[in-house]
Amino acid sequence: MSTVQQPDPSDRPARLTVGVVGAGRVGPALAASLRLAGHRPVAVSGVSDTSRRRAEAMLPDVPLVPPAEVLQRADLVLLTVPDDALPGLVTGLAETGAVRPGQLLVHTSGRYGAKVLDPALRAGALPLALHPAMTFTGTPVDVQRLAGCSFGVTAPEELRMAAQALVIEMGGEPEWISEENRPLYHAALALGANHLVTLVAQSMELLRTAGVEAPDRMLGPLLGAALDNALRSGDAALTGPVARGDAGTVAAHVTELRRHAPQAVDGYLAMARATADRALAHGLLKPELAEDLLGVLANRAGHANGTEGTEGTEGPEGNAR
């Protein structure tokens, strides 16, 4: 459990005016969190009707203005736009003279470090990359989830204390990421969090197809235990037919997926091969069983060699768990 506590605003006299450029799911939540720490949101920009409604709900009484005006009003500006839009936004703001010397300019992209803010740095801004390792809903619950949330932080050496202070004020914990490691860091998070949502959604769809009335209730305890075990034990937590080398069961799975959810086959095969490799490398999957299993996966990937009927001879179908 995190030991980070939200600071008492009265203990920190240096309060900042805060602006948000890009009222997606992240920006308003961070600004609301900074407000709880005693800072003052003063301006927000948003393009779509959805983002504007979100800003009004999360930051009531904070005016909606164009991006350049956000920078005019704020000491600390949160650039919370999609990754691909960030370089162009920074360049445009710098070239139009919107950036003020001494202004803290913070982006929340996981992909980029501080260098993407170089155009603003040349204009006198103070660049910080603060990426919350959290999934956001665009609702007030996001502010609560920031408590104990890790932030991937990249900043010039002279701004490390400022970056750390801001993260702690939002209830988070700073984790320092080097500039060159930002894309790898972000890929790791996307692999774990984004792909997890896809896998769970597919699993729920398949359970509904199989007649389960409440797939969320069925999966909740199972997935919670699997996640806890994985975080505690890593690859030692692997279970199931792939880790056991039950080639017949895996063949039966793919047969049913081809019949009921062909769009899920490629993902199942890719994850099964990755699971088999890790289980074999860590001594969980016996080599003599791995050969048959990998053969099934290879045949299934090519949909060849008549393997549709192998599940009855490779092993029992009813022992998946």
Side-chain angles (χ1 to χ4, degrees), residues 144-191:
Q144 302 169 23
R145 288 177 173 172
L146 287 174
C149 167
S150 292
F151 279 66
V153 180
T154 305
E157 186 65 32
E158 62 272 18
L159 293 177
R160 284 172 68 98
M161 289 186 64
Q164 177 174 286
L166 286 172
V167 170
I168 291 174
E169 285 192 316
M170 288 186 282
E173 299 184 2
E175 185 73 36
W176 303 101
I177 309 295
S178 66
E179 185 79 29
E180 61 271 20
N181 283 337
R182 292 289 291 205
L184 178 61
Y185 150 81
H186 195 224
L189 295 180
L191 185 67

Side-chain angles (χ1 to χ4, degrees), residues 81-94 109 111-112 116-117 119:
V81 297
D83 289 358
D84 287 351
L86 182 61
L89 172 66
V90 175
T91 299
L93 292 172
S109 166
R111 169 186 171 187
Y112 291 108
V116 72
L117 298 173

Side-chain angles (χ1 to χ4, degrees), residues 20 112 130 134 175 183 192 219 221 245 251 289 316:
V20 179
Y112 291 108
L130 308 180
M134 178 54 61
E175 185 73 36
L219 285 174
L289 297 177

Side-chain angles (χ1 to χ4, degrees), residues 91 115 117-125:
T91 299
K115 286 190 178 298
L117 298 173
D118 276 355
L121 174 64
R122 290 190 289 270

Side-chain angles (χ1 to χ4, degrees), residues 20-45:
V20 179
V21 176
R25 297 182 180 184
V26 179
L30 297 187
S33 182
L34 288 168
R35 172 185 278 173
L36 291 176
H39 300 288
R40 184 165 62 92
V42 293
V44 59
S45 72

Side-chain angles (χ1 to χ4, degrees), residues 181-247:
N181 283 337
R182 292 289 291 205
L184 178 61
Y185 150 81
H186 195 224
L189 295 180
L191 185 67
N194 302 157
H195 296 176
L196 176 64
V197 174
T198 301
L199 290 172
V200 173
Q202 284 187 335
S203 181
M204 288 199 295
E205 288 177 354
L206 292 170
L207 287 171
R208 290 190 189 97
T209 301
V212 176
E213 293 184 1
D216 54 341
R217 189 170 64 233
M218 176 175 285
L219 285 174
L222 172 64
L223 298 184
L227 177 60
D228 184 63
N229 290 343
L231 292 175
R232 292 174 183 271
S233 305
D235 289 296
L238 283 171
T239 62
V242 172
R244 290 193 303 270
D246 290 340

